[in-house]
Amino acid sequence: MNEDMIEIRWHGRGGQGAKTASQLLADAAFSAGKYVQSFPEYGPERSGAPITAYNRISDERCNIHSNIYEPDYVVVVDETLLDSVDVTAGLNPDGAIIVNTPETPDEVRGKLKGYPGRVCTIDARSISIDCLGRYFPNTPMLAAVVAVSGCVRKDSFLKDMEESYSHKFAKKPQVIEGNLKCLRRSFESVQG
């Protein structure tokens, strides 16, 4: 087993961008010279149904090809999932959980079934609406997981995201700047 490998599990709802954020994180880590895996787990559910996505990031090749049952980090894109999904199942107590909520880490801790590790929160809704004009929780949550886990250096991550957004939104420069502003603000807004 790779000692340096970081495993991340994302919990969200269809349409919130958890799968996309997982893929963007893998792209950024790959650009930084890491070995990566990114894969979703969902069936034929509709928009709004719970989904799970995963990342493995390592300095060495990873030959594991299964779901992640004991993640180092869990990202909860939709806080309503705290009431219906055991988001802390298998979560490493030396890792952290990152929850999209306006609440503080202490306020969220009581909803985490006794998880003893680090609890981080970020108000992805207000950041997204302020920076992008609409609610896209995946962009702030992407920056939050990089900030908390340190899986990619902040400067290389922001550079890679700028290149990615510039390619994807070449004809919409306002979207590029809004997303970069959202990422930068999210780095500064994570509590915990």
Side-chain angles (χ1 to χ4, degrees), residues 24-167:
L24 287 169
L25 179 59
D27 289 346
F30 180 78
S31 293
K34 306 276 186 179
Y35 290 93
V36 299
Q37 292 179 2
S38 172
F39 52 99
E41 175 186 32
Y42 55 88
E45 294 93 348
R46 307 177 307 213
S47 179
I51 68 107
T52 309
Y54 305 92
N55 286 111
R56 284 193 179 94
I57 301 170
S58 177
D59 290 330
E60 299 176 26
R61 182 175 301 278
C62 176
N63 294 318
I64 301 169
H65 298 286
S66 67
N67 287 351
I68 294 172
Y69 300 103
E70 296 179 348
D72 299 297
Y73 300 94
V74 166
V75 183
V76 182
V77 180
D78 187 318
E79 73 177 311
T80 65
L81 292 171
L82 297 177
D83 299 325
S84 59
V85 176
D86 185 5
V87 296
T88 60
L91 179 55
N92 184 339
D94 293 330
I97 185 167
I98 307 154
V99 181
N100 171 13
T101 180
E103 296 181 1
T104 67
D106 287 339
E107 291 170 325
V108 171
R109 186 172 291 284
K111 301 174 187 177
L112 300 178
K113 300 182 181 186
Y115 174 67
R118 185 175 174 200
V119 177
C120 301
T121 61
I122 182 169
D123 187 355
R125 177 178 296 277
S126 67
I127 293 169
S128 176
I129 290 172
D130 184 48
C131 296
L132 302 171
R134 290 185 54 200
Y135 183 44
F136 296 106
N138 60 338
T139 301
M141 298 308 291
L142 177 58
V145 75
V146 170
V148 172
S149 72
C151 62
V152 181
R153 283 188 10 245
K154 178 181 171 182
D155 58 337
S156 65
F157 169 75
L158 289 171
K159 181 178 184 269
D160 188 71
M161 289 297 97
E162 183 171 8
E163 290 172 8
S164 177
Y165 292 144
S166 294
H167 176 72

Side-chain angles (χ1 to χ4, degrees), residues 1-15:
M1 177 97 181
N2 296 345
E3 296 296 322
D4 69 324
M5 184 166 48
I6 294 174
E7 294 183 313
I8 301 167
R9 186 174 65 216
W10 299 74
H11 292 278
R13 294 191 181 276

